[in-house]
Amino acid sequence: IPTLITFLGGASGYVVKLYDQTGNGHDAVQTTAANQPLISLVEPNGLPATVFTKTSAMTLQVTLTGTKPSAFSVLCSYLTTNVNLNSQAACGSAISSSNTTMWGLLLQTYFGGNVQNGIIQTIIGDSILSTYCNATTIANATANNIYKPVSIRFQSGVVPPSIRIGGAAQTLSVQGTGTTSGGATGNFYIGKGYPGTELDGKILETMVYSSYVSDENMSKLETNTKSYYGI
């Protein structure tokens, strides 16, 4: 952090490339200056966060090839600046809301002030062909400007989706019996899930696995994340 502060010299810093820490080369990139998220240095434990503004469509893109995973786990530690903005996704992979490549979507929904304010949702598969699974938290689980680690997990044909918020498993409303297996994958985005779902908030860290992480291991990841970031 001191090196970054010195480098910026009081100027604003923007993220052009967020490097994949696994060494697999799945870097998250934004080459358009107007859409590059801002770096914030005034965060818990003195660690940086990436700031996304919905109106500026700030996002980072991970270019993927091959087939979409039949199982995945995503853990994203983030906050929302305004939960009342409709359809915000911290991350996800889809071209549109009905796209067949949809997976890994961590979507926060708010429709005209109704009970879905702050609810977390994940959608897997193709809703047009009814080969999808839509899981939504029943309780309002988010609030403005409060960091929480949020995880979603799905394994095709074995278990329903799992959503955990702040380390607590959520009671879900589940529709459909979709699959993530087969078909080409879409790019994975940080700061949105598909066009129109850009996040208005901050992200500390995003972890993506092409497997279903066990309850025990997810709990360890959440505990370590909360301790490291002081959230």
Side-chain angles (χ1 to χ4, degrees), residues 72-153:
F72 65 81
S73 302
V74 176
L75 176 60
C76 185
S77 299
Y78 77 104
L79 65 75
T80 306
T81 305
N82 184 358
V83 297
N84 295 334
L85 292 176
N86 187 26
S87 297
Q88 301 181 67
C91 56
S93 177
I95 297 173
S96 70
S97 60
S98 59
N99 186 257
T100 56
T101 66
M102 185 178 290
W103 66 276
L105 180 66
L106 198 161
L107 178 67
Q108 187 166 305
T109 56
Y110 176 92
F111 297 118
N114 74 7
V115 294
Q116 295 203 57
N117 180 1
I119 281 174
I120 301 297
Q121 179 182 38
T122 189
I123 307 169
I124 303 101
D126 179 8
S127 60
I128 297 297
L129 299 176
S130 298
T131 58
Y132 75 102
C133 188
N134 181 351
T136 305
T137 58
I138 293 176
N140 292 350
T142 57
N144 284 336
N145 297 308
I146 297 177
Y147 277 114
K148 289 186 178 181
V150 181
S151 69
I152 57 172
R153 294 174 291 164

Side-chain angles (χ1 to χ4, degrees), residues 10-28:
S12 296
Y14 296 85
V15 179
V16 178
K17 180 182 290 188
L18 190 64
Y19 288 93
D20 177 8
Q21 298 301 303
T22 68
N24 291 321
H26 294 149
D27 302 327

Side-chain angles (χ1 to χ4, degrees), residues 127-214:
S127 60
I128 297 297
L129 299 176
S130 298
T131 58
Y132 75 102
C133 188
N134 181 351
T136 305
T137 58
I138 293 176
N140 292 350
T142 57
N144 284 336
N145 297 308
I146 297 177
Y147 277 114
K148 289 186 178 181
V150 181
S151 69
I152 57 172
R153 294 174 291 164
F154 180 77
Q155 185 165 329
S156 176
V158 178
V159 292
S162 165
I163 299 179
R164 294 167 61 93
I165 299 176
Q170 301 296 297
T171 301
L172 304 179
S173 172
V174 181
Q175 301 176 359
T177 56
T179 176
T180 58
S181 62
T185 191
N187 294 323
F188 192 86
Y189 299 96
I190 298 174
K192 74 173 183 179
Y194 55 85
T197 65
E198 289 80 8
L199 177 69
D200 205 76
K202 302 177 182 179
I203 297 177
L204 293 169
E205 187 173 43
T206 304
M207 304 180 191
V208 183
Y209 300 87
S210 57
S211 63
Y212 189 95
V213 174
S214 68

